[in-house]
Amino acid sequence: AKARGRSCFAQFEPWMEEKERERAALEADLRTAIQEGQFALHFQPLIKIENGRIAGFEALVRWEHPRFGVVMPGEFIPIAEDTGLIIPLGEWIMRNAIKQAAGWRDGQRVAINLSPIQLRSARLLPMLINSIAETGMDPSRIELEITENVLMQDSEVNIATLHKIRDLGVRISLDDFGTGYSSLNYLRSFPFDKIKIDKCFVNDLERREDCQAIIRAVTSLAGTLGIDTVAEGIEREEQLNWLQGAGVTEVQGFYISYPFNVEELSDGRPFEGKR
Ligand code: C2E
Ligand code: CA
Ligand code: CA
Ligand code: CA
């Protein structure tokens, strides 16, 4: 199971039953939401640690629900996956993320989260090729983020698909690294361009020497393999300071900027972070 909340370890959650009711309500509305396009993409900057510049933005989807207000992806992506609606929703996300990013003047990268179900869909590659052609987007500015479980289930098929995607010039990132049943073996199964070290390791890093050791080990190994590294979930200056000497390539987190609507970027002012 995926790590929840602030810990690297799954926890018992007494409010589970209420969650079930919420889930049923959302599930009933999801199809209409896709037809009516009730979604928005927010973008969170990834910053190069060497010079503080924006390397790219990660697209994060939000559901602007007519009655409940903004619903976060943690609430509805699992439902979309269980119902198969992740295919049309994922297509909307990918097309829109690429379309928006194609217009960014400074040519920053766009990182798009890919569900394991999308990766198994025959529609993924044609849609990706079509989006790139329609927008004239440089494929090397697109990063698809996948999680380790993709390498556990149907791994041969998935790895073949990842190679086809990479042959287009699109980059592949391994997201949430270190959670789940992660194994360094996965790093041999595919030539990833980037590893995103999960925020649970960044969370308590000032106090936790084990987290520091893990981050150092991952960046050093990735460096040897020629893979970029991102530390996710930076919320405090002390974390950023520590990471400065840890060998990560990029940083991402609320301390640098919350995810935001990128239309706010085109107001002519230089980017100063949104927190
Ligand atoms: P993720 O891919 O690991 O995305 C990073 C999540 O961490 C985002 O939550 C982001 O807002 C949050 N975050 C960023 N900086 C910080 C920080 O400093 N502290 C903390 N505590 N959190 C931070 P969000 O947007 O709620 O997304 C949650 C998850 O939902 C994502 O985790 C991803 O697994 C999934 N998701 C989001 N957008 C999409 C999408 O377009 N497609 C798919 N398939 N999944 C998505
Ligand atoms: Ca991600
Ligand atoms: Ca992540
Ligand atoms: Ca995650």
Side-chain angles (χ1 to χ4, degrees), residues 2-3 113 147 175-176 179 198-199 232:
K2 193 167 164 176
N113 291 286
T147 50
D175 200 0
D176 301 345
T179 62
D198 195 77
K199 50 180 166 287
E232 297 191 288

Side-chain angles (χ1 to χ4, degrees), residues 192-266:
F192 290 97
D193 297 288
K194 187 180 272 188
I195 293 171
K196 299 189 79 172
I197 303 169
D198 195 77
K199 50 180 166 287
C200 69
F201 298 103
V202 172
N203 208 12
D204 282 330
L205 76 82
E206 303 103 310
R207 281 177 298 279
R208 296 273 305 254
E209 285 182 10
D210 53 346
C211 292
Q212 297 181 2
I214 289 168
I215 294 172
R216 279 214 188 85
V218 173
T219 55
S220 140
L221 178 67
T224 308
L225 296 171
I227 305 173
D228 289 344
T229 43
V230 183
E232 297 191 288
I234 288 129
E235 295 181 352
R236 295 180 293 277
E237 189 179 11
E238 298 76 47
Q239 294 168 324
L240 185 59
N241 290 343
W242 187 88
L243 286 161
Q244 224 99 41
V248 295
T249 326
E250 292 169 19
V251 285
Q252 179 180 10
F254 295 162
Y255 179 70
I256 296 148
S257 172
Y258 288 114
F260 60 98
N261 214 315
V262 130
E263 277 144 44
E264 299 171 31
L265 246 197
S266 46

Side-chain angles (χ1 to χ4, degrees), residues 22-197:
E22 273 177 36
R23 186 188 162 104
L26 290 180
E27 184 172 337
D29 294 341
L30 194 55
R31 193 173 299 272
T32 322
I34 293 169
Q35 282 158 0
E36 294 184 356
Q38 294 170 6
F39 297 93
L41 293 180
H42 286 198
F43 292 86
Q44 186 180 32
L46 290 99
I47 303 295
K48 286 184 209 149
I49 203 143
E50 56 171 21
N51 58 15
R53 289 179 194 230
I54 301 177
F57 294 92
E58 178 176 4
L60 295 159
V61 66
R62 274 89 183 91
W63 178 358
E64 293 170 343
H65 193 286
R67 278 178 302 128
F68 303 149
V70 176
V71 184
M72 299 301 277
E75 304 280 325
F76 64 88
I77 292 287
I79 303 174
E81 290 179 330
D82 289 349
T83 53
L85 291 169
I86 191 68
I87 299 298
L89 177 59
E91 184 159 341
W92 182 89
I93 292 166
M94 195 170 288
R95 285 190 184 280
N96 278 276
I98 294 174
K99 195 158 88 189
Q100 287 198 47
W104 296 343
R105 276 178 311 171
D106 295 332
Q108 300 99 335
R109 291 193 175 121
V110 63
I112 304 168
N113 291 286
L114 200 63
S115 159
I117 296 165
Q118 281 178 280
L119 195 66
R120 272 180 251 130
S121 155
R123 281 165 66 166
L124 178 67
L125 265 164
M127 187 257 293
L128 186 56
I129 291 167
N130 180 270
S131 270
I132 291 169
E134 265 181 6
T135 55
M137 178 76 166
D138 171 358
S140 71
R141 289 178 53 212
I142 303 171
E143 286 179 343
L144 299 186
E145 298 192 355
I146 61 146
T147 50
E148 288 154 339
N149 48 7
V150 156
L151 305 171
M152 285 169 51
Q153 307 139 5
D154 307 320
S155 58
E156 292 104 277
V157 181
N158 284 338
I159 287 168
T161 308
L162 290 176
H163 277 289
K164 286 182 194 154
I165 293 172
R166 208 157 178 266
D167 288 345
L168 300 174
V170 170
R171 291 161 53 97
I172 309 281
S173 302
L174 186 53
D175 200 0
D176 301 345
F177 188 74
T179 62
Y181 302 90
S182 58
S183 151
L184 293 179
N185 223 11
Y186 292 143
L187 297 183
R188 288 195 318 164
S189 60
F190 186 79
F192 290 97
D193 297 288
K194 187 180 272 188
I195 293 171
K196 299 189 79 172
I197 303 169

